[in-house]
Amino acid sequence: MEEQLLTLLKQENKAYSVSELEELLQLGSLDELKELMKTLNRLEDELKVYRTNKNKYMLFNNSNLKLGRMIGNKKGFGFVDIEGDIDVFVAPSNMNNAIHGDRVIVEIISKKGADLEGRIVRIVERKLKQMVGEYYEKNHKGYINLDEEKVKLTIEIDKKLSLGAMPGHKVLIKILGKKGNNTYHGQVLKILGHKNDPGVDILSIVNKYGIEDEFPEEVLAAVAKLPEEVREEDKFGRKDLRKLVTFTIDGADAKDLDDAISYERMDNGNHHLWVHIADVSYYVKAGSKLDEDAFLRGTSVYLADRVIPMLPHKLSNGICSLNGGVDRLAVTCEMEINPKGKVVSYDIYPSIIHSDLRMTYQAVNEILEQDTIPDGYEPFVNILKGASELAHDLRQEKMNRGYIDFGIDEAKIIVDESGEAIDIKKRERGTGEKLIEDFMIVANETVATHIYFLELPFVYRVHGQPNEEKITNFISFVKQLGYQVGVKVDDLHPKTMQKILASLSDKKEFHILSSLLLRSMQKAIYAKDNIGHYGLASKYYTHFTSPIRRYPDTTVHRLLRTYLFENHMDHGTTTYWENRLDALCEHVSQKERDAVACEREVDDMKKAEYMMKHIGETYEGIVSSVLSFGMFVELDNLVEGLVRITDMKDDQYTYDEATFSLKGAKNKRGYRLGDRIKVMVANANKEAKTIDFVLVPDEKKENNRPEKQ
């Protein structure tokens, strides 16, 4: 009945009552009517069908309804973040009691250009489950001051449910129920520590995003039973590659080594590349407690002073990690690649490897960029130089097809033993880093291509084409700055983005404009249906190369074992995965977003913490954005702070929307995106994660110089 019902609802974009559906489907018995109601209820739960306030049913995807996550604002309005689509603005009057983090259904009520406005018609999943805040007492009652400022609620805690929390403690709480208007009962689930204790600041953010920082006892008990080294029975059915020269290249502080490589130059002039990936799914069996926990986590989380791994250390740093000098199980993608960067033949198989050396990016960069050879690397110099030539060929091939390199800088926050930020630097991205990136991309593409043409259910990493209106708005913005990009927006091939970036590459504010263009793009997600990866200009792409830290990669390995190594491609197997993968992809995509948001919030907090020790000091920076209330200035170490318009005392400034600049009554040019200026740190607030700058006196003399005519 489901197929008939969905076919009927697809025919017209309208809602039907149960009696109308009963008549159209020509149902004649009470049992058939019961089956119809049962099917409608299930499809409604699965968000395939929507039931209106008048109890009529319509196809979810054929309506003006969209499913997304609410991003609240402390001023009362919000945006619904819709996966693979543009955000929808929701006015305070249309929030319908939705709060930040809720999973909601939004109805589109207005469209102006690329901007959508909507109203919340249903809260699918309530965020009000577990939240983090500071415990305090008032009038002999316990309360929680929530860390999430976008959620304005009063949470009252009964002393019997406080776990003995004291004022100043950061706690994880559970919402028990509503007490009154905007007031809820709560229960303390965990005391994280006093707000001033070392590490509690990051722990509070981690718990806010529902990220578990400890493993359950049953998971640790299961891990304890796993071997610490490769056993004889583990080698069965694997290609023995232990005599092949193999090595890893990672950061000096990395402990979970997912990937190793081998390289040889072939007699025909082609490149021979082996990409060996840790065989995590061999140890993490489907349906086990270890697997269930890894699925719930979805990903490892990399923070300023710690890593919260997806798998316990015995796996992530031990038997699964491709450590040097020991045998390890792997899944190998072996490729022959011609000088044009094209894969001409390949094989994918389970293997056993032995890494000869744990290389670091720094040492590899010394060899490839400075022609100096660190101790112990002498036997590998020629291999690395040949591998570097292959990386160049692969990158050139990607560029030729439209690969978009935004060149976005990232900050690396240095912390001391107590976790306090003591320095901030730009992350290096040298030849060694790019080499590994290129090798991982070609392995991911090769695996995805192979499974795609077998027409089997799979997990793809997809990145949709950008919204045309968003790119048009970006180009209009660039024109206001006085720059021409010379592209046709009606052609949204990745090469169009390449041309835009190339036309701006020599501009002083290039990295800011590049970031803005990146924000105009869709987000990459995991999906069962392949639409390609726009940013990589790749028709077939997956995540195969990091199963220690990403559950999608672990799933890809499990599918490879099922389909290729064990040859299970029967109808029952494919149907099982066909039914399972949509929900899996949605879950791991959300966990990835949670991890990224957590990492960014920790970075913002640590940047503010670092700048608290530099109040009163002067820095140079670039104006990174201009808004009606002031301008953000980015320092050379990528710390960003706000110069408020109310603190600009030397003139009367107003925001000029046409030119995205602040113009003064006397200083007509004012300040605009890309201006290089001097600022002083006026204030920094670790809790609020904010940094305030003021202009350095006399800086205006530079900006008041007459412009060349």
Side-chain angles (χ1 to χ4, degrees), residues 188-236:
V188 174
L189 298 177
K190 186 196 301 185
I191 297 174
L192 306 179
H194 192 275
K195 62 180 180 180
N196 296 327
D197 290 345
V200 171
D201 51 0
I202 288 182
L203 205 55
S204 297
I205 297 173
V206 166
N207 279 268
K208 168 185 168 181
Y209 285 97
I211 297 168
E212 293 291 339
D213 60 310
E214 297 177 350
F215 290 96
E217 288 298 327
E218 57 189 1
V219 170
L220 295 176
V223 171
K225 298 176 183 178
L226 294 175
E228 295 185 1
E229 56 186 32
V230 175
R231 303 164 300 187
E232 279 303 314
E233 60 262 38
D234 301 325
K235 302 173 186 177
F236 178 76

Side-chain angles (χ1 to χ4, degrees), residues 589-632:
S589 293
Q590 182 59 50
K591 297 307 291 185
E592 178 187 47
R593 287 193 292 271
D594 290 344
V596 169
C598 179
E599 290 164 359
R600 286 177 178 167
E601 189 165 336
V602 167
D603 282 355
D604 288 344
M605 180 189 67
K606 287 297 173 183
K607 286 176 180 178
E609 178 183 74
Y610 174 74
M611 297 308 289
M612 286 170 64
K613 298 188 284 285
H614 298 274
I615 292 174
E617 295 183 18
T618 299
Y619 295 86
E620 276 200 6
I622 187 172
V623 176
S624 55
S625 62
V626 182
L627 302 162
S628 60
F629 52 83
M631 57 186 177
F632 283 93

Side-chain angles (χ1 to χ4, degrees), residues 421-586:
I422 56 174
D423 198 6
I424 301 175
K425 299 178 179 178
K426 284 185 182 179
R427 286 190 183 276
E428 296 296 325
R429 188 166 172 259
T431 304
E433 285 89 345
K434 292 178 182 178
L435 179 146
I436 290 298
E437 178 185 302
D438 293 331
F439 289 177
M440 296 307 111
I441 287 175
V442 72
N444 285 331
E445 289 178 331
T446 300
V447 169
T449 302
H450 185 74
I451 300 298
Y452 179 82
F453 283 103
L454 289 177
E455 298 183 344
L456 296 166
F458 201 54
V459 176
Y460 295 96
R461 180 67 168 178
V462 301
H463 185 216
Q465 183 171 290
N467 179 280
E468 184 177 318
E469 289 172 298
K470 282 196 168 189
I471 302 303
T472 300
N473 290 344
F474 173 80
I475 292 174
S476 298
F477 170 72
V478 168
K479 286 181 178 178
Q480 292 292 343
L481 298 176
Y483 304 139
Q484 298 294 326
V485 295
V487 299
K488 293 182 179 179
V489 183
D490 56 355
D491 176 16
L492 283 180
H493 190 276
K495 285 194 173 184
T496 303
M497 301 301 119
Q498 275 189 343
K499 291 175 182 176
I500 292 175
L501 288 170
S503 66
L504 299 172
S505 61
D506 61 341
K507 306 299 184 283
K508 59 184 179 181
E509 60 271 66
F510 170 72
H511 80 281
I512 294 170
L513 296 175
S514 178
S515 297
L516 290 174
L517 180 60
L518 179 60
R519 290 178 208 166
S520 301
M521 311 281 279
Q522 292 194 36
K523 300 181 184 77
I525 60 171
Y526 298 102
K528 182 185 71 178
D529 299 320
N530 178 51
I531 61 170
H533 195 295
Y534 183 86
L536 295 174
S538 180
K539 292 182 180 179
Y540 319 104
Y541 196 68
T542 189
H543 270 174
F544 155 74
T545 52
S546 295
I548 291 177
R549 63 184 181 90
R550 294 188 304 225
Y551 194 81
D553 304 53
T554 307
T555 304
V556 164
H557 280 234
R558 190 164 286 146
L559 292 171
L560 292 176
R561 171 167 281 103
T562 300
Y563 298 151
L564 306 185
F565 312 155
E566 298 175 353
N567 200 31
H568 295 315
M569 291 182 269
D570 56 278
H571 178 72
T573 299
T574 56
T575 300
Y576 169 81
W577 285 108
E578 184 74 29
N579 294 333
R580 175 174 167 76
L581 288 181
D582 278 330
L584 185 149
C585 289
E586 182 181 351

